[in-house]
Amino acid sequence: MGIFGRSRDAPKKERRSKPSKEMVEFMKGVDVDFIGNSQSGVQVDELRSMQTSAVYACVKILAETIASLPLHLYKKGKDGKNESAEQHPLFSCLYEMPNDEMTSFEFRETMMTSLLLWGNAYARKIRKNGHVTELWYLKPNLMTVERDTQTGKIKYTYSDDITNQTIEYRPDQIFHIKGLSLDGVKGLSTIAQAREAVGLSLATEEYGAKFFGNGARPGGVLEHPGILKDPEKLRESWNKVYQGTRNSHKVAVLEEGMKYHTIGIAPEDAQFLETRKYQVNEICRIFRVPPHLVGDLERATFSNIEHQSIEFVQHTIRPWLVRWEQAISRSLLDEKERLIYFAKFNVDGLMRGDYKSRMEGYAIGRQNGWLSINDIRRLEDMSLVPADKGGDDYLVNGNMTGAAVSKEKEEGGSDGEGQEGTPNAPDEGTSGKRKRKR
């Protein structure tokens, strides 16, 4: 498409330094803000970016995935076995209901949406008996974070759009999760950093809507043999009857010797689908989301989708989970509690392979002694086998023995008498002495 440039994957053709005259004439009817904050001429902000299908899909898949993962508070055990800290007031706040208006899923989904778009997520902490018992979401676009020049401490200033009041919070009153940051005080807005990519995607969508809304035709010229007293009125009446896809292929009636001339459109100007396709991959690259998760299956195969999904968990989901877990430890637990408790997401469900691969992995673990029947059944959400019936037993193959035993036998196998045959010949009888082979 001439006005937006060609996709990198498009076949190489003669380049143009500017749009064709026909395209300029057609674009006069397109409502695009050419003094916007992006080079594409479109005003881009966090809310407007969600009108792009790729941005919306990437934010939705990331927010819903992290919101759906189980989040528990654990108590560290002395023997290495961590226990669920269900009695701690923070447990129900994280796992069930952070406040009276939102479930845990809704709260984390909203916080992740703010984190993905604005680079920051905020919530007001409510304490009871020294413990955080409630978390109330705060809009990131209404929050100002800065360092006080007098005290050197960070302060949060929130402009409440409901009460029209400006409230200043201390750091210990705010649960703040930061994205990628340059100063450690506030995260960078993803949309602000990727303004041009998102702006180009919005511009192509708006251009395509106008293009097809005009019947996929750039318009034309009405030629009158004389002088028109009111050309604007004629243009409006013509557009009212013949413009738009619903009015396509209508028979035009021309009077007073008027003639209609169509304006052609260059093929490279009309083929903007490659640009739109490239922008989908560009936005997926920004959020580190595999294209097949947002519906782009062009390069997806049955053999690579599973591995891409696992890489998605390892390289995309896991860093966000670490941010959440460490922010919870830093902000929602005090210094003494951090030595005893910690928050952890469970990603076992996301890391599962297909049924056959799981069964083969369980078989290997069972045969080599590091998985019991109940360990496997827990991973598959099945009822447990009683311990007295072998549910917690760990088994190994009968032809395997400890390395220390093998070494002892090897050292005791040579009696220094110059036996004939191999020095490690098996014992005969029960006397413990070795007999020479004849």
Side-chain angles (χ1 to χ4, degrees):
M1 188 172 53
I3 192 170
F4 301 120
R6 255 185 235 98
S7 169
R8 294 180 181 176
D9 299 329
K12 294 183 179 179
K13 298 181 180 179
E14 181 183 356
R15 295 186 177 181
R16 295 182 176 183
S17 58
K18 59 181 180 179
S20 62
K21 294 182 180 180
E22 293 83 0
M23 179 58 66
V24 174
E25 188 71 22
F26 170 65
M27 287 299 292
K28 290 181 180 179
V30 180
D31 184 18
V32 178
D33 179 14
F34 282 98
I35 57 173
N37 62 348
S38 66
Q39 295 297 324
S40 61
V42 178
Q43 191 76 20
V44 179
D45 57 30
E46 288 78 7
L47 295 178
R48 179 79 187 277
S49 68
M50 289 290 282
Q51 297 178 7
T52 304
S53 59
V55 174
Y56 180 86
C58 288
V59 172
K60 185 176 175 65
I61 185 68
L62 287 171
E64 289 182 344
T65 299
I66 293 177
S68 62
L69 292 176
L71 174 59
H72 296 288
L73 187 70
Y74 292 96
K75 184 178 181 180
K76 300 177 183 179
K78 295 181 180 180
D79 54 353
K81 293 184 178 181
N82 301 317
E83 301 177 356
S84 180
E86 298 182 5
Q87 304 301 323
H88 196 284
L90 185 59
F91 182 92
S92 60
C93 180
L94 296 177
Y95 183 69
E96 297 176 353
M97 292 181 60
N99 56 66
D100 294 337
E101 299 178 354
M102 305 176 76
T103 63
S104 177
F105 181 95
E106 294 169 344
F107 175 77
R108 283 184 280 157
E109 182 184 39
T110 307
M111 291 283 284
M112 272 305 302
T113 302
S114 300
L115 194 55
L116 292 166
L117 295 177
W118 279 271
N120 298 273
Y122 307 96
R124 181 167 58 94
K125 296 185 289 187
I126 303 297
R127 295 181 181 273
K128 185 177 181 180
N129 298 327
H131 300 291
V132 175
T133 57
E134 295 182 27
L135 293 170
W136 290 87
Y137 171 75
L138 298 175
K139 298 178 181 179
N141 56 318
L142 304 180
M143 180 71 76
T144 302
V145 184
E146 56 189 353
R147 190 177 296 277
D148 194 330
T149 56
Q150 296 180 355
T151 62
K153 295 184 179 181
I154 298 174
K155 64 177 182 179
Y156 296 85
T157 306
Y158 188 70
S159 302
D160 198 326
D161 57 346
I162 299 178
T163 61
N164 294 324
Q165 295 180 352
T166 301
I167 308 172
E168 186 173 315
Y169 293 104
R170 300 187 309 273
D172 60 338
Q173 296 176 308
I174 297 296
F175 176 46
H176 182 193
I177 306 177
K178 297 183 287 290
L180 182 65
S181 177
L182 295 178
D183 57 3
V185 176
K186 189 175 181 180
L188 295 174
S189 169
T190 306
I191 301 304
Q193 300 303 312
R195 180 183 295 114
E196 300 302 334
V198 177
L200 180 56
S201 182
L202 285 169
T204 53
E205 289 186 3
E206 188 169 352
Y207 167 80
K210 288 290 183 178
F211 181 73
F212 288 102
N214 198 41
R217 299 176 62 178
V221 175
L222 285 173
E223 180 183 357
H224 194 277
I227 299 175
L228 291 175
K229 297 181 179 179
D230 194 353
E232 186 65 28
K233 183 178 181 180
L234 176 62
R235 183 185 296 108
E236 291 179 359
S237 61
W238 177 271
N239 290 336
K240 183 178 181 181
V241 178
Y242 301 109
Q243 190 177 41
T245 55
R246 293 184 179 181
N247 298 324
S248 298
H249 309 295
K250 279 189 175 182
V251 179
V253 179
L254 303 177
E255 301 177 354
E256 299 179 2
M258 284 193 303
K259 297 180 181 180
Y260 177 77
H261 303 278
T262 59
I263 296 178
I265 183 171
E268 58 266 28
D269 290 336
Q271 294 179 2
F272 60 93
L273 292 179
E274 293 180 356
T275 302
R276 291 200 61 191
K277 185 183 297 183
Y278 176 76
Q279 287 310 114
V280 171
N281 288 298
E282 187 79 355
I283 291 174
C284 287
R285 185 180 299 115
I286 295 169
F287 289 98
R288 291 196 300 180
V289 173
H292 76 271
L293 290 178
V294 298
D296 184 2
L297 302 176
E298 182 178 4
R299 298 185 179 180
T301 63
F302 289 105
S303 60
N304 66 8
I305 278 186
E306 181 179 345
H307 295 287
Q308 289 185 41
S309 299
I310 294 176
E311 290 177 357
F312 171 67
V313 176
Q314 294 175 342
H315 302 298
T316 303
I317 296 297
R318 185 174 178 274
W320 288 114
L321 299 184
V322 174
R323 291 182 189 273
W324 270 87
E325 291 168 356
Q326 294 187 357
I328 291 172
S329 178
R330 178 188 61 83
S331 183
L332 303 184
L333 296 173
D334 58 33
E335 186 176 356
K336 293 182 179 180
E337 288 179 326
R338 284 195 289 270
L339 300 175
I340 305 174
Y341 301 98
F342 67 95
K344 188 72 175 178
F345 285 91
N346 188 350
V347 296
D348 291 341
L350 296 179
M351 296 299 291
R352 288 182 178 181
D354 58 89
Y355 183 80
K356 181 181 179 181
S357 299
R358 296 203 313 274
M359 295 303 108
E360 291 175 351
Y362 294 153
I364 294 173
R366 177 66 171 156
Q367 293 171 7
N368 288 276
W370 50 271
L371 280 180
S372 66
I373 295 177
N374 286 338
D375 291 336
I376 298 173
R377 297 180 72 87
R378 287 188 187 97
L379 294 174
E380 291 294 321
D381 296 326
M382 301 171 67
S383 58
L384 301 182
V385 176
D388 57 353
K389 294 185 178 181
D392 295 325
D393 293 344
Y394 295 89
L395 308 176
V396 294
N397 291 326
N399 60 351
M400 298 176 66
T401 184
V405 177
S406 300
K407 185 176 181 182
E408 182 180 352
K409 287 183 178 181
E410 183 178 353
E411 292 176 349
S414 176
D415 54 8
E417 297 180 359
Q419 304 100 313
E420 297 179 2
T422 59
N424 293 327
D427 295 337
E428 297 181 8
T430 59
S431 61
K433 297 182 180 180
R434 293 184 177 274
K435 294 183 179 181
R436 297 179 182 177
K437 291 184 179 181
R438 299 296 182 182

